[in-house]
Amino acid sequence: MTTPHPVPPHQVVALDLRGRTALVTGAGSGIGRSVAGRLAAAGARVVAVDRDAEPLESLADDTGAVPVVADLSDLDRAEEALEGHWDVDVLVNNAGIQHVAPLDEFPAERFAYIQTVMVEAPFRLVRRVLPHMYSAGWGRIVNISSVHGLRASPFKAAYVTAKHALEGLSKTVALEGAPHGVTANCVNPAYVRTPLVEGQIRAQAATHGIPESEVVEKIMLTSAAIKRLIEPEEVAELVAYLCTDAAGFITGTSVAIDGGWTAH
Ligand code: NAD
């Protein structure tokens, strides 16, 4: 039987970001890598940030992105590493991690670490890129949130907390940025086929006490109406659109790309 919701061909929309510079965090893998590639394909100059050097090198070879190695959990040093790269027109806060554990066993340091990487680092970057955007009278900030910025799931206390906080930051940027031509939005995917999710399949199997083979169907896709994982390129297409002139009236909102999860 053919699926009613096949993965669409990539880069179906002609988007023009020539003359723009975009900074993408977590660009070495998964969604960030696809976003960096998509923005570069639309003509943007891309500054690609990740804590790992090697994937950034191959991304640079593939797309011409400028690699910057920075660990966003060390906020001050990350800002130092990014010195000279604040004059960007587009910021995509994407870097993120997951930790799956019940609340009464959740490691406090891990909780704090996740808030640092997924809330404080986006705040630091927003703060540094806004002056250039304000003086240019144009800017696009896209925060990669999640359905977990809109809904909770058990065993993901730190991640759900961080994504809800990111939603608040994004809306505040939208309000302050509007008079300066700056938009800020969240993109909210359900489960995307990336290394982060592949790692979660193992962790969820252990936490729920079920085989790994059952995790995608029984845990990850129960809430979605469309029963497949999202491809990173589908998320990148949406992010790239939000970075265009055409998307200038979209701000302060959260665009779900979740196969109907949040329709519940
Ligand atoms: P991924 O693990 O494939 O990639 C994340 C990238 O972020 C990696 O390259 C990693 O090195 C980088 N990174 C992590 N911590 C960092 C740090 N301290 N400093 C610098 N770089 C760091 O993950 P992904 O699935 O592509 O996730 C990207 C974003 O999308 C995350 O914010 C995640 O929460 C969000 N998201 C993912 C899914 C999904 O199902 N995969 C769903 C919704 C939202």
Side-chain angles (χ1 to χ4, degrees):
M1 197 179 88
T2 56
T3 167
H5 300 285
V7 176
H10 298 152
Q11 298 185 18
V12 287
V13 185
L15 301 173
D16 186 1
L17 294 175
R18 283 174 295 178
R20 305 291 188 201
T21 298
L23 192 158
V24 181
T25 69
S29 172
I31 296 170
R33 192 180 184 89
S34 283
V35 167
R38 183 63 182 100
L39 298 182
R45 176 179 169 271
V46 174
V47 179
V49 181
D50 207 287
R51 64 181 168 195
D52 298 330
E54 201 193 310
L56 285 185
E57 281 161 25
S58 70
L59 177 71
D61 289 344
D62 293 348
T63 67
V66 178
V68 178
V69 177
D71 184 340
L72 296 168
S73 70
D74 189 338
L75 298 167
D76 292 335
R77 287 190 62 187
E79 284 201 44
E80 279 167 33
L82 279 161
E83 214 48 67
H85 295 289
W86 299 121
D87 289 357
V88 298
D89 310 296
V90 171
L91 168 65
V92 181
N93 282 312
N94 164 77
I97 47 167
Q98 179 61 275
H99 188 94
V100 179
L103 264 166
D104 51 349
E105 293 170 14
F106 211 99
E109 326 72 56
R110 197 70 181 149
F111 187 96
Y113 181 88
I114 286 178
Q115 309 315 308
T116 303
V117 173
M118 293 167 59
V119 182
E120 288 196 69
F123 158 70
R124 294 281 195 112
L125 268 54
V126 162
R127 199 169 63 134
R128 296 302 297 266
V129 301
L130 281 179
H132 170 78
M133 293 181 180
Y134 284 1
S135 66
W138 195 96
R140 298 283 183 265
I141 294 177
V142 182
N143 298 302
I144 307 301
S145 178
S146 164
V147 284
H148 288 112
L150 307 170
R151 299 284 188 278
S153 287
F155 311 128
K156 294 185 175 178
Y159 187 90
V160 170
T161 303
K163 291 301 190 190
H164 277 68
L166 186 63
E167 298 275 329
L169 174 66
S170 189
K171 288 178 198 169
T172 309
V173 177
L175 297 183
E176 291 190 28
H180 306 279
V182 175
T183 67
N185 294 289
C186 284
V187 165
N188 302 65
Y191 287 100
V192 188
R193 191 188 306 281
T194 70
L196 182 141
V197 161
E198 279 151 18
Q200 262 186 73
I201 293 174
R202 281 185 293 279
Q204 292 268 24
T207 309
H208 290 273
I210 58 173
E212 285 183 23
S213 57
E214 291 181 12
V215 169
V216 171
E217 194 188 321
K218 292 207 169 145
I219 307 289
M220 295 185 168
L221 297 181
T222 41
S223 300
I226 298 178
K227 303 291 184 190
R228 67 164 172 82
L229 296 178
I230 310 159
E231 300 298 324
E233 292 80 6
E234 295 177 88
V235 180
E237 201 64 31
L238 173 58
V239 172
Y241 173 69
L242 290 172
C243 298
T244 61
D245 284 324
F249 208 72
I250 304 174
T251 197
T253 197
S254 303
V255 185
I257 175 164
D258 66 357
W261 179 321
T262 51
H264 288 280

